[in-house]
Amino acid sequence: MPAEQLNRKIIDRIDEGVIVLENGTITRVNAAIERMTGMERAELMWLPLSQLLDPAPPLHFKTTPDVATAADEKPLMYESSLTVAKVQSLAVAESVHTVREGDGRLQFLIVRDIAERKKMQQNLLKSRQLESIAALSGGIAHDYNNLLTAIMGNLSLALTSIPEDEPM
């Protein structure tokens, strides 16, 4: 099996989406991107990245590493919405990688579905807000209880100083 064909099979088996770009236009995708978007590979080819990701990550870089030094470069990380079935959106995180190959520049994105993580973060935020409200209301109730205790104590003292035969 030729190396190119083997590489394509490996990339297609990856669970995370892979998008290869030339000049900001999609030239290759893997099967995971097809599953995430609900679109066929042919529909995705030659689309501008801005039609798929909102906001699309910036694709200009200060440095363009060679293939040999690409492993040393840190990818740029972004979060955006991926268009699903041309109408819905899915929260994704993408890492943008740039590699110079010969005279050209190859950019590719690794796209991860983070919708579940976002949902968990929102649930955690809601539970923390409820916890804060509970602590606040508990503190208010405690303060009122302290005030009522003082009032009840003073009333008890006042009642003991009134003779029993005197009308109230």
Side-chain angles (χ1 to χ4, degrees):
M1 180 180 296
E4 174 78 18
Q5 195 175 19
L6 178 62
N7 286 341
R8 284 183 189 211
K9 280 189 172 192
I10 291 170
I11 290 173
D12 266 345
R13 295 260 161 71
I14 296 173
D15 287 336
E16 294 174 336
V18 177
I19 300 173
V20 179
L21 304 166
E22 289 180 23
N23 301 319
T25 302
I26 299 170
T27 58
R28 188 180 299 169
V29 296
N30 71 344
I33 287 292
E34 289 182 79
R35 283 191 305 275
M36 286 179 182
T37 62
M39 298 168 69
E40 296 292 324
R41 197 173 298 225
E43 293 177 89
L44 293 165
M45 289 301 125
W46 308 109
L47 267 180
L49 189 60
S50 59
Q51 287 186 6
L52 200 59
L53 291 170
D54 181 32
L59 298 175
H60 54 283
F61 300 96
K62 294 178 185 171
T63 62
T64 308
D66 295 324
V67 174
T69 61
D72 298 334
E73 296 291 324
K74 292 190 182 224
L76 301 173
M77 307 295 282
Y78 299 96
E79 285 187 10
S80 58
S81 295
L82 179 71
T83 302
V84 176
K86 299 181 183 177
V87 289
Q88 298 176 333
S89 64
L90 176 70
V92 294
E94 65 265 0
S95 56
V96 181
H97 307 261
T98 302
V99 178
R100 183 178 298 158
E101 189 172 22
D103 292 336
R105 187 169 79 173
L106 176 73
Q107 294 175 315
F108 64 96
L109 284 76
I110 306 295
V111 181
R112 289 172 198 86
D113 179 355
I114 59 168
E116 189 65 32
R117 185 180 87 192
K118 287 283 192 184
K119 187 177 178 182
M120 287 173 44
Q121 285 175 340
Q122 288 175 342
N123 288 341
L124 180 62
L125 179 62
K126 282 182 185 178
S127 68
R128 286 184 178 166
Q129 288 171 339
L130 289 173
E131 186 179 319
S132 297
I133 290 170
L136 178 64
S137 62
I140 291 170
H142 184 72
D143 289 346
Y144 274 113
N145 191 37
N146 288 344
L147 288 172
L148 290 174
T149 301
I151 291 170
M152 294 298 289
N154 286 330
L155 284 175
S156 294
L157 282 174
L159 283 174
T160 59
S161 66
I162 298 175
E164 287 186 28
D165 59 345
E166 200 165 307
M168 285 196 214

